[in-house]
Amino acid sequence: MKYTRHLTLIALVASVLLCSCGNKTLLDETRTFTNDTWMRFTPEHFDIQATYTDDCYNFSVTLTIDTARYRETSLPIMMEMESPDHEKRTLFSTILFRNHEGNWLGSFDDNGLLTVTQTVRQFYFFNTTGTHSLNLSQRTHRYEIQGIKSLKFSIVKVKLEYPE
């Protein structure tokens, strides 16, 4: 009986400490694609709950791809955002899989899948609080691209350092 009380107390203290450390991650969601195919006109939708307008964030995308099926060296993406007061923003970026020397960026797993993480937007500020809608889509010229296993989209709070 005493043992379970101690475990309960330790779990309660640990959860309070973890919650009070400040949540730096605003969003961290992973999506997998049916048949490893990302359709051009089927964007991935994310709802973002912004509570502060003074904080800035970095947006990161992690893609896991089968390089035998998707043979390009990069993947262009588009992020269409809408704020609660219906302000719209469109952001473009390109996820690089190889550098200029032709070397792979990221790492390969035991199944031969490449995982690449890239920051696609730095120091982003939300203009209003509330639920923001974000649609992330591939913007290649193809209707469907094959070989994309999964997409992870993360928004993490960062500190903006001004030069002295």
Side-chain angles (χ1 to χ4, degrees):
M1 181 85 153
K2 235 182 196 184
Y3 182 70
T4 55
R5 267 193 249 161
H6 285 136
L7 281 178
T8 305
L9 181 61
I10 290 171
L12 179 63
V13 169
S15 64
V16 167
L17 287 174
L18 286 174
C19 291
S20 65
C21 289
N23 191 2
K24 293 186 97 176
T25 302
L26 191 61
L27 181 78
D28 189 23
E29 291 186 21
T30 302
R31 307 288 168 80
T32 55
F33 296 103
T34 306
N35 298 324
D36 303 335
T37 303
W38 194 357
M39 306 300 285
R40 179 178 175 128
F41 301 109
T42 309
E44 293 301 310
H45 179 79
F46 301 92
D47 287 322
I48 305 157
Q49 186 63 41
T51 53
Y52 301 105
T53 58
D54 294 336
D55 295 336
C56 68
Y57 299 90
N58 283 355
F59 294 4
S60 297
V61 172
T62 301
L63 287 172
T64 302
I65 64 167
D66 181 354
T67 57
R69 294 177 66 202
Y70 185 76
R71 296 188 177 153
E72 304 298 325
T73 60
S74 63
L75 177 65
I77 61 169
M78 178 174 62
M79 296 169 281
E80 295 177 299
M81 296 185 64
E82 185 173 352
S83 70
D85 59 358
H86 304 291
E87 174 188 325
K88 294 184 180 182
R89 295 182 185 180
T90 303
L91 310 169
F92 298 96
S93 188
T94 301
I95 310 296
L96 300 176
F97 301 129
R98 290 183 184 250
N99 61 16
H100 292 294
E101 291 80 34
N103 300 320
W104 290 105
L105 303 172
S107 60
F108 284 92
D109 67 9
D110 294 337
N111 297 324
L113 300 176
L114 176 68
T115 301
V116 174
T117 300
Q118 185 174 317
T119 300
V120 294
R121 181 65 177 203
Q122 287 186 305
F123 307 121
Y124 184 88
F125 287 88
F126 292 97
N127 290 341
T128 58
T129 60
T131 303
H132 294 252
S133 174
L134 185 137
N135 287 323
L136 195 149
S137 56
Q138 58 102 340
R139 58 180 188 95
T140 65
H141 64 280
R142 289 184 240 144
Y143 177 69
E144 60 185 39
I145 51 174
Q146 296 180 345
I148 309 296
K149 294 275 188 189
S150 66
L151 165 116
K152 178 180 174 183
F153 186 65
S154 303
I155 301 176
V156 178
K157 181 179 166 183
V158 293
K159 185 174 180 181
L160 180 59
E161 300 279 339
Y162 292 102
E164 293 182 23

